[in-house]
Amino acid sequence: MMSKNITRTFLRTDKMMTHYIETMKDRKEKGITENPFTNWQKFLVKEFKYWVITENEFPYDAVTDINHMILPKREVAFDWNLLNDDEKSEYIDIKENYLKQNYDSIWESLPRGQNTPGYFHLHLVVLKREPA
């Protein structure tokens, strides 16, 4: 399942948003419909037994200094109930022992805001900051 109609948000810079729109349009024109996260090895940041952390190919660069994603190695729809007990347990461990020390927030898009609704992924972000 590929992304639905793309709408502009202000999470990406104009340059990144243009790159994202052009890439999605190109994938659609070529009939590419596979899971966009199957090439996670190309963007690998950290690997666990059931999960991987990857760079986001199209980061929310207007508001973040770091925008990684965590996704299960097993292809699964974006539904917490579809994760097995081992995946859920490891996610909790990763969150407590790795994510909390390395990121500001975990962003989960709800169905209304999902551009890739068919594939489980969460955004891991470090927000941009400037001195007050």
Side-chain angles (χ1 to χ4, degrees):
M1 173 180 235
M2 282 299 289
S3 61
K4 56 187 175 180
N5 291 333
I6 298 169
T7 57
R8 184 172 295 275
T9 67
F10 296 96
L11 297 173
R12 293 184 177 104
T13 58
D14 287 342
K15 181 179 177 182
M16 183 57 67
M17 193 65 195
T18 298
H19 172 59
Y20 177 69
I21 290 169
E22 289 172 357
T23 301
M24 292 303 113
K25 186 191 315 184
D26 184 57
R27 288 177 182 172
K28 185 175 182 179
E29 288 172 358
K30 291 179 178 174
I32 298 172
T33 59
E34 78 272 359
N35 179 344
F37 306 128
T38 55
N39 64 346
W40 58 261
Q41 293 90 348
K42 179 179 174 182
F43 300 100
L44 184 64
V45 172
K46 189 156 180 70
E47 185 173 4
F48 302 92
K49 185 172 181 179
Y50 299 107
W51 294 85
V52 292
I53 295 176
T54 67
E55 293 182 29
N56 184 353
E57 185 177 0
F58 308 104
Y60 297 139
D61 60 336
V63 297
T64 66
D65 283 330
I66 297 173
N67 180 193
H68 295 157
M69 295 185 295
I70 186 167
L71 42 134
K73 288 181 178 179
R74 180 175 66 92
E75 188 171 312
V76 60
F78 206 142
D79 182 339
W80 287 93
N81 295 315
L82 296 177
L83 297 174
N84 65 42
D85 290 342
D86 290 333
E87 290 164 334
K88 289 176 187 175
S89 177
E90 185 179 59
Y91 174 78
I92 291 168
D93 184 59
I94 293 167
K95 181 178 176 183
E96 293 301 315
N97 297 299
Y98 183 79
L99 302 183
K100 286 183 175 183
Q101 290 76 31
N102 292 285
Y103 300 96
D104 293 333
S105 298
I106 301 169
W107 291 351
E108 176 182 355
S109 295
L110 299 172
R112 181 175 165 208
Q114 292 174 350
N115 284 330
T116 50
Y119 309 105
F120 195 102
H121 67 287
L122 302 167
H123 290 264
L124 308 171
V125 301
V126 174
L127 300 171
K128 288 186 183 261
R129 291 180 167 77
E130 59 183 43

